[in-house]
């Protein structure tokens, strides 16, 4: 890798190289805030200096990312987060090594070999593995950031989606389209994120004084076509709109209605969480509430760098607010 230069710091902060030089030499030509930002960037990027020397000493940062086999198959979701992390790690003059967790046993030989292979600068944990495994990793003497998963017992930095708020916004959008019979589909036992999305769904119904119909809440449905089709067939009075906890379920739901001759969105509306290939391949394309995955990757790297430079600072949970994307699967309901 190339050595970090003052120009790298200038590009990172979008300021002049001369300002960087003045800040590093503690000259009066730049503000104290700029000096602080430059010194922080120098630390983050791995630029080291002594007094007025401008000779950089490079120490590359090496990060390890742990993710399950399932997570690594989700190319259009977790894959985008990993790509973003690799990009921003490279900008910080570091590297990101991914370890596939096939066996969530902390004592697994492959895991132990990888952990002892080198002194990692930090470890990222992507999504849910098992809480006990994650706790074992956090207990190691490494800076650690957990992404897209959290638990009250985790004493570490985390980056998550504002699931409750996102689900609330999605259901509120359906209510504003005059839907007052809205269903929920998703296995809340699979992930804390899905449980939070159910909470957001219920909060929206409560705020707008809509009744909670238990028949419309399919909260233990696996992402499986036969199970979902069977459950939907048992519903006597179909709601006019559905909110799905992810785009895979949204895709299956749309296929179900196609098989029944039900028109989406003319007869029924669908809005799901996550903006993956399923939302774009579906016909019609699915409206969704989605997190900026590139930004999630960037924030994860930034949070790790801050933890490395401030190891005793309070732990932080960053919640990213998702964006509502309206496509063709939602329509106003005319009662």
């Amino acid at each position: 890798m190339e050595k970090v230069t003052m120009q790298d710091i200038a590009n990172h902060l979008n300021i002049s190289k001369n300002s960087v030089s003045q800040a590093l030499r503690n000259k009066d030509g730049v503000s104290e805030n700029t000096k602080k930002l430059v010194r922080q960037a120098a630390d983050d990027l791995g630029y080291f200096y002594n007094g007025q020397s401008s000779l950089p000493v490079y120490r590359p940062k090496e990060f390890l990312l742990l993710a399950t086999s399932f997570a690594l198959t989700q190319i259009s979701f977790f894959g985008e987060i990993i790509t973003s992390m690799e990009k921003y790690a490279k900008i910080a003059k570091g590297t990101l090594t991914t370890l596939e967790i096939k066996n969530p046993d902390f004592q697994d030989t492959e895991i132990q070999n990888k952990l002892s292979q080198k002194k990692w600068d930090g470890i990222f944990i992507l999504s849910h593995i098992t809480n006990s495994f994650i706790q074992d990793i956090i207990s190691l003497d490494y800076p650690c950031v957990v992404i897209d998963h959290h638990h009250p017992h985790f004493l570490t930095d985390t980056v998550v989606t504002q699931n409750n708020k996102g689900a609330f916004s999605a259901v509120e959008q359906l209510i504003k389209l005059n839907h007052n019979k809205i269903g929920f589909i998703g296995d809340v036992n699979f992930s804390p994120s899905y449980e939070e999305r159910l909470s957001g769904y219920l909060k929206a119904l409560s705020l707008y004084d809509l009744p909670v119909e238990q028949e419309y809440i399919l909260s233990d449905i696996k992402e499986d076509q036969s199970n979902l089709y069977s459950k939907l067939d048992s519903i006597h009075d179909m709601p006019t709109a559905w909110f799905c906890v992810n785009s895979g379920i949204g895709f299956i739901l749309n296929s179900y209605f196609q098989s029944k001759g039900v028109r989406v969105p003319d007869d029924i509306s669908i809005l799901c969480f996550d903006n993956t290939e399923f939302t774009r391949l579906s016909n019609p394309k699915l409206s969704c509430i989605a997190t900026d995955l590139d930004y999630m990757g960037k924030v994860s790297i930034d949070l790790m760098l801050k933890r490395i430079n401030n190891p005793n600072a309070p732990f932080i949970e960053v919640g990213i607010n998702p964006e509502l994307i309206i496509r063709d699967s939602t329509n106003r309901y005319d009662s």
Side-chain angles (χ1 to χ4, degrees), residues 6-237:
M6 284 192 285
Q7 187 61 56
D8 291 325
I9 299 173
N11 294 341
H12 183 73
L13 296 173
N14 196 28
I15 62 176
S16 70
K17 180 180 176 180
N18 183 58
S19 295
V20 173
S21 177
Q22 288 181 309
L24 292 178
R25 291 183 292 146
N26 200 29
K27 297 296 184 180
D28 295 333
V30 291
S31 68
E32 289 301 318
N33 185 56
T34 298
K35 292 177 183 178
K36 181 179 179 181
L37 291 173
V38 168
R39 289 165 187 156
Q40 182 67 54
D43 288 340
D44 291 346
L45 297 177
Y47 181 95
F48 295 88
Y49 57 95
N50 296 308
Q52 297 189 16
S53 172
S54 61
L55 296 175
V57 179
Y58 177 66
R59 184 183 62 82
K61 293 180 174 63
E62 295 185 278
F63 302 120
L64 180 65
L65 182 143
L66 308 178
T68 63
S69 302
F70 171 78
L72 293 175
T73 64
Q74 308 301 302
I75 303 300
S76 66
F77 186 82
F78 293 120
E80 290 190 26
I81 297 174
I82 294 173
T83 298
S84 171
M85 292 175 67
E86 290 172 340
K87 176 176 68 176
Y88 289 107
K90 185 176 181 181
I91 290 173
K93 306 300 180 182
T95 59
L96 182 71
T97 300
T98 298
L99 174 62
E100 180 181 358
I101 303 300
K102 302 172 184 176
N103 174 23
D105 179 357
F106 181 70
Q107 300 302 327
D108 181 79
T109 302
E110 183 179 3
I111 295 171
Q112 288 299 316
N113 287 343
K114 182 63 71 171
L115 290 173
S116 60
Q117 180 180 5
K118 61 184 68 177
K119 177 64 176 178
W120 301 98
D121 289 284
I123 296 178
F124 295 96
I125 301 169
L126 183 60
S127 191
H128 181 61
I129 300 177
T130 67
N131 288 337
S132 60
F133 177 88
I134 294 173
Q135 190 62 64
D136 285 335
I137 296 296
I138 293 172
S139 299
L140 299 175
D141 188 24
Y142 292 106
C144 187
V145 174
V146 178
I147 306 165
D148 197 50
H149 183 61
H150 60 165
H151 189 277
H153 291 164
F154 295 167
L155 296 179
T156 191
D157 297 314
T158 55
V159 181
V160 296
T161 295
Q162 291 276 15
N163 292 292
N164 190 300
K165 186 181 293 185
F168 176 91
S169 298
V171 176
E172 182 178 53
Q173 171 67 18
L174 293 172
I175 295 171
K176 289 179 177 179
L177 290 174
N178 205 35
H179 294 279
N180 55 27
K181 294 164 60 178
I182 303 170
F184 172 94
I185 306 180
D187 182 9
V188 299
N189 297 313
F190 179 78
S191 167
S193 296
Y194 294 173
E195 187 175 9
E196 291 163 5
R197 291 169 193 181
L198 174 59
S199 177
Y201 160 87
L202 294 172
K203 185 177 294 185
L205 295 186
S206 175
L207 181 67
Y208 286 91
D209 296 321
L210 296 179
V212 176
E213 301 287 350
Q214 291 301 322
E215 185 182 24
Y216 298 161
I217 302 178
L218 311 184
S219 60
D220 58 353
I221 289 292
K222 308 296 182 185
E223 198 170 329
D224 175 81
Q225 179 173 299
S226 61
N227 287 335
L228 181 55
Y229 276 30
S230 176
K231 190 68 175 180
L232 291 168
D233 283 338
S234 69
I235 296 177
H236 302 294
D237 182 23

